[in-house]
Structure formats: C-alpha cells, structure tokens
Amino acid sequence: MTTLDAVTKKTKNEPTREAVAAREWVRLAKEQCLALDGPEGLLGQFTKTFLETALNEEMTEHLGHEKNRAPDERDESNVRNGTRPKTVISPSTGPVTIQVPRDRDATFTPVIVPKRQRRLTGVDEIVLSLYARGLTTGEISAHF
C-alpha cells in the first residue's frame, strides 16, 4: 500500500504541490481582499467545499450509485432526498454552514461529520493538505 507521503515526496529543492497551491491561494485571496481565516475567509470556503464534497461521496458509496444515476432495476427505493443545513464549528474558521445530504430511508450515517457533532478538530489541516496535494475525491474519501 502506498502512503500519502510517498505519493507526494519531492526533493529538497523542489517545492511540494501543497506549498505551491497554498502560495497561489494566498496570492488570490490577497488580490480579492479575502481574509484567510473566519467563516467567509479562504479557509472557511475550502472547509465548506471539502466537507460537502466528502459527504456527497459518502452518500454515493452508501447508495451505490452517483446522483441521478440510480439503475432502473435496483432492488430498493432508497435514493437521495435533498440536503439539510448544519453549522459546524472549527477553531480557525469559526461557524461554517454546510449542506448535509439525506436519503429517503434516513439510513445515511456520515463519517466525516457524524450526526450530532458540531465541532471539527483537525479538519482545517487535512483540508489544506489533501486539497493541495491534488488528491481526487475518491482518494480523499479513502483517506477518511
């Protein structure tokens, strides 16, 4: 099995993808007068996007098919059933409102943001690290 560090190892003189991406994000944020932290800041936006993407991937895995791609001959009627808002709190971003997907049978139990949990610990660092390393959504889901 390949580890995340082995995939992204660089020589000492070559900057990592994470460092290059972070530098670019900070440059763009400064150009747009966007704060780096806080719920409306750069990190808050990445946290929201990352969590919603991961939750949608978890739902896809739970149901066994992509959104709007359920096979006609499926055995069960459980499909996506919209979303519900949830406010999560992160130490560096503050409160961030995300959309958590629902399924018709209410059997979906999210892993990345468990039910009845609002405080995120360590997600900010993971968001930046995985996103900057260019991992696909499937690789990020596998990481969690």
Side-chain angles (χ1 to χ4, degrees):
M1 180 201 276
T2 306
T3 64
L4 187 58
D5 289 333
V7 171
T8 60
K9 263 197 178 149
K10 301 286 181 187
T11 63
K12 286 186 178 184
N13 296 334
E14 187 179 344
T16 64
R17 282 188 242 165
E18 181 179 24
V20 172
R23 205 172 298 126
E24 180 65 13
W25 294 332
V26 170
R27 184 188 66 76
L28 290 171
K30 284 181 181 178
E31 281 180 7
Q32 298 171 8
C33 298
L34 182 66
L36 296 179
D37 57 356
E40 299 301 320
L42 181 67
L43 190 55
Q45 291 176 11
F46 279 135
T47 301
K48 176 181 173 58
T49 302
F50 173 79
L51 290 175
E52 288 177 352
T53 301
L55 287 165
N56 283 316
E57 286 299 311
E58 285 184 37
M59 178 63 81
T60 297
E61 187 175 317
H62 172 70
L63 295 175
H65 58 82
E66 294 286 331
K67 185 175 183 176
N68 301 324
R69 301 278 190 250
D72 292 333
E73 64 279 350
R74 68 181 182 270
D75 294 335
E76 56 185 71
S77 63
N78 195 17
V79 293
R80 292 172 190 262
N81 192 28
T83 61
R84 64 176 174 81
K86 180 175 186 172
T87 301
V88 293
I89 301 170
S90 172
S92 50
T93 63
V96 176
T97 302
I98 60 173
Q99 296 297 318
V100 179
R102 301 182 304 186
D103 63 334
R104 206 169 267 177
D105 294 345
T107 56
F108 176 56
T109 305
V111 175
I112 191 161
V113 183
K115 291 181 178 181
R116 294 172 293 284
Q117 178 181 334
R118 291 181 35 131
R119 297 216 174 264
L120 301 177
T121 54
V123 172
D124 299 336
E125 293 80 19
I126 295 170
V127 168
L128 286 176
S129 176
L130 296 178
Y131 195 81
R133 291 178 184 200
L135 293 180
T136 66
T137 308
E139 291 169 332
I140 291 172
S141 295
H143 181 70
F144 283 101

